[in-house]
Amino acid sequence: MKRVITYGTFDLLHYGHINLLKRAKELGDYLVVVLSTDEFNWNMKQKKCYFTYDQRKKLLEAVRYVDLVIPEESWEQKVSDVQLYHIDTFVMGDDWKGKFDFLKDYCEVVYLERTPEISTTQIKKELKK
Ligand code: C2G
């Protein structure tokens, strides 16, 4: 069983996120999504989520490509996550290209092309009009 992992906030879940999750799952048989907690988003990413962690977790757990959702509470947990969940492949959108190459000592690292023209920031801007 090939195990894949990816990380994110996934707020206002949209088709760009779904495209990423679909392609991540296609790289293996089991997909772990490490979901940024509200505290991590606010303290470390200065992101204020529209949906709470629990609401974002429920949405992700309803996505057919997702097998497990666990919390992301620090930037430093990736190596232990990869080891604890016996991960074969780490996947992120290519806006993060190169940032997680240190994980190549532990698993395959894949950066997938971001879906253009859609982002949570864009959605929020449009809704403010
Ligand atoms: N994504 C994408 N296309 C978009 C928007 C997002 O492929 N149009 C991808 C991002 O590249 C990322 C994933 O969807 O791989 C989740 O995006 P975010 O929720 O914005 O994740 P981010 O805040 O970048 O958190 O430790 C890593 C961080 O938790 C990543």
Side-chain angles (χ1 to χ4, degrees), residues 6-94:
T6 192
Y7 292 69
T9 303
F10 296 101
D11 193 28
L12 299 184
L13 196 64
H14 55 67
Y15 65 86
H17 297 135
I18 300 301
N19 278 345
L20 188 282
L21 295 170
K22 180 175 188 297
R23 288 173 293 156
K25 182 61 178 279
E26 286 164 356
L27 295 174
D29 314 285
Y30 189 86
L31 176 61
V32 180
V33 178
V34 192
L35 181 62
S36 310
T37 61
D38 298 332
E39 298 72 21
F40 179 69
N41 270 309
W42 183 244
N43 299 330
M44 306 309 285
K45 296 190 208 173
Q46 292 69 48
K47 278 188 176 183
K48 174 111 183 60
C49 290
Y50 181 82
F51 289 122
T52 65
Y53 174 80
D54 288 338
Q55 291 165 336
R56 289 180 285 122
K57 182 170 188 280
K58 269 196 183 59
L59 282 161
L60 282 172
E61 285 171 341
V63 175
R64 68 173 61 199
Y65 310 118
V66 176
D67 295 289
L68 177 68
V69 180
I70 59 170
E72 177 181 32
E73 294 161 309
S74 86
W75 291 115
E76 290 73 36
Q77 70 182 78
K78 292 184 174 66
V79 171
S80 56
D81 288 346
V82 166
Q83 291 171 325
L84 189 64
Y85 290 92
H86 310 289
I87 298 298
D88 300 286
T89 307
F90 168 92
V91 175
M92 284 303 289
D94 61 7

